[in-house]
Amino acid sequence: MALAQDHKHDLKVKAAYYYYKKDRKLADIAETLGVSRVTLNKLLQEAREEGIVRIDIIDRENVTGVLELEELAKERFGLKNIMIAQPVSNDYHDVARMAARMVDSMMFDGIKISLTWGATLELLVDYLTGSNFIKDIEVYTLLGAQGSIGMQMQPNTIAQNLLKKYKGTGYVMNAPFMCETAEAARCIMNDASFTSIVKKAGESDLTLVGIGPTPSTAASRSKMRYDVETLKELKSSNVCGDICSNFYDIYGNISDNPLCSRFVKVSMDEIKKHKNVVGIASGDHKIASILGALNGGCLDTLITDQSTMVGVIEMADRLGI
């Protein structure tokens, strides 16, 4: 039988009082009021909708603002997940810490992890808690290494440091990062030792990728991923960033500059097939490259900071994309 409106209102107030003020269990409240659990849930829902109950969230750190930004970004760019840090130090340490917490929480015996390179990935590994109880993990690198670049740019070193935190085996590409000719790069990438890693990496549970900035000759030499001539050539092709040395424009289109065929790496098409590709990047110099990666559908998950994500959305709005 339908409840009279005045009686229903009284029940809503009583239900709210017992539930929110007295912290009583739902089954106990339902028995006291003489209603079913289903009816009680409807009464509590209507009490909130009608303003009988008002819930205020005390948010001194603007956590809800970040949550709203995350939901906006997920919907706009079709991401499965996004994690946005509120930076304290205005550098990529906060993003690396957040990424490390995520990785630590996902670890299990036998997990397969693929990775690329970058300063933030190096920091991520440093911040991992690690565990002696998780074993038999497998770590795969997705591009070659080069002796002339900093240690943070060495995928093999990052893989080795990860295996110091968790027990397992590393499968690294013992190959140069960039060859003198496209033919030399193709020979390496057609070799069985390379293709076997590509195949095994394709079964990864987690793929961690850095997002390279828009090529610039203005960066300090210590922070350059590539030599000056390479950067000039990439700039001439409207490249805005790269993942695993797969260069793309602001719309996410992979560059066909002949220079790009000289890099020894797993292709973006292959990486997109991985189960969970997590991009980790932040900073004004990464805004365009993050937007290009999102437009190209390169990522399942993005970990960045608040100001960077706002910049990405603002750039997308300006460009109408």
Side-chain angles (χ1 to χ4, degrees):
M1 184 172 65
L3 297 171
Q5 286 302 314
D6 57 346
H7 179 47
K8 190 173 184 180
H9 179 271
D10 290 346
L11 285 175
K12 292 174 187 176
V13 174
K14 290 178 180 178
Y17 174 78
Y18 290 134
Y19 186 68
Y20 293 105
K21 288 288 189 179
K22 295 300 182 180
D23 198 27
R24 287 171 59 176
K25 296 184 182 300
L26 290 174
D28 183 31
I29 299 171
E31 183 178 354
T32 298
L33 298 181
V35 298
S36 67
R37 285 282 297 274
V38 173
T39 298
L40 176 59
N41 285 328
K42 289 181 179 178
L43 291 171
L44 289 170
Q45 181 179 346
E46 290 176 8
R48 293 192 298 270
E49 292 172 351
E50 295 170 12
I52 295 172
V53 173
R54 287 181 291 183
I55 300 174
D56 292 326
I57 300 174
I58 309 303
D59 183 16
R60 296 185 180 91
E61 303 296 330
N62 192 34
V63 174
T64 54
V66 173
L67 292 173
E68 289 171 356
L69 182 60
E70 288 178 347
E71 289 302 311
L72 172 63
K74 281 172 64 176
E75 182 177 352
R76 178 156 186 175
F77 299 110
L79 289 165
K80 293 179 182 177
N81 192 22
I82 183 169
M83 299 173 66
I84 297 177
Q86 292 177 286
V88 175
S89 52
N90 292 319
D91 60 23
Y92 47 82
H93 283 256
D94 301 289
V95 172
R97 289 189 193 96
M98 176 176 277
R101 288 194 296 269
M102 182 206 72
V103 173
D104 275 328
S105 70
M106 297 177 68
M107 297 298 289
F108 59 85
D109 288 352
I111 187 174
K112 295 178 173 61
I113 300 175
S114 291
L115 53 81
T116 60
W117 64 344
T120 310
L121 282 188
E122 180 193 34
L123 271 178
L124 182 165
V125 172
D126 287 344
Y127 284 126
L128 287 174
T129 301
S131 172
N132 290 323
F133 300 101
I134 294 174
K135 59 185 184 302
D136 298 329
I137 76 166
E138 296 179 7
V139 181
Y140 302 91
T141 61
L142 300 181
L143 72 166
Q146 184 113 328
S148 62
I149 51 180
M151 292 300 289
Q152 77 271 17
M153 300 303 183
Q154 296 285 8
N156 295 3
T157 302
I158 296 172
Q160 289 167 4
N161 290 339
L162 174 55
L163 290 166
K164 292 177 183 177
K165 299 293 184 78
Y166 291 98
K167 297 177 181 178
T169 305
Y171 300 87
V172 301
M173 292 182 175
N174 293 312
F177 159 68
M178 187 177 183
C179 296
E180 289 292 329
T181 66
E183 182 179 359
R186 280 195 300 272
C187 286
I188 292 172
M189 291 187 287
N190 286 331
D191 187 81
S193 62
F194 184 95
T195 58
S196 65
I197 290 180
V198 175
K199 183 177 180 180
K200 291 177 181 177
E203 301 172 355
S204 294
D205 301 289
L206 180 63
T207 300
L208 304 172
V209 301
I211 301 176
T214 301
S216 171
T217 53
S220 65
R221 290 298 179 92
S222 63
K223 294 184 178 180
M224 284 185 178
R225 289 186 169 213
Y226 315 101
D227 60 49
V228 173
E229 292 306 314
T230 299
L231 290 169
K232 288 180 179 178
E233 181 68 20
L234 292 170
K235 285 181 67 176
S236 70
S237 299
N238 295 318
V239 165
C240 79
D242 76 283
I243 290 176
C244 194
S245 295
N246 294 283
F247 297 89
Y248 49 78
D249 63 19
I250 197 69
Y251 302 99
N253 301 309
I254 299 297
S255 175
D256 59 0
N257 188 311
L259 176 70
C260 299
S261 61
R262 291 168 51 196
F263 292 98
V264 177
K265 84 288 184 181
V266 177
S267 72
M268 198 67 242
D269 285 342
E270 286 294 330
I271 294 174
K272 285 180 181 180
K273 296 175 185 176
H274 289 204
K275 187 181 299 183
N276 185 13
V277 181
V278 180
I280 306 154
S282 63
D284 291 345
H285 63 306
K286 298 286 184 79
I287 288 175
S289 52
I290 291 172
L291 179 56
L294 294 173
N295 286 333
C298 302
L299 306 175
D300 298 301
T301 298
L302 173 64
I303 304 177
T304 187
D305 63 32
Q306 189 172 3
S307 60
T308 303
M309 195 66 243
V310 169
V312 170
I313 292 173
E314 290 177 347
M315 177 175 282
D317 287 341
R318 288 196 305 271
L319 297 175
I321 53 178

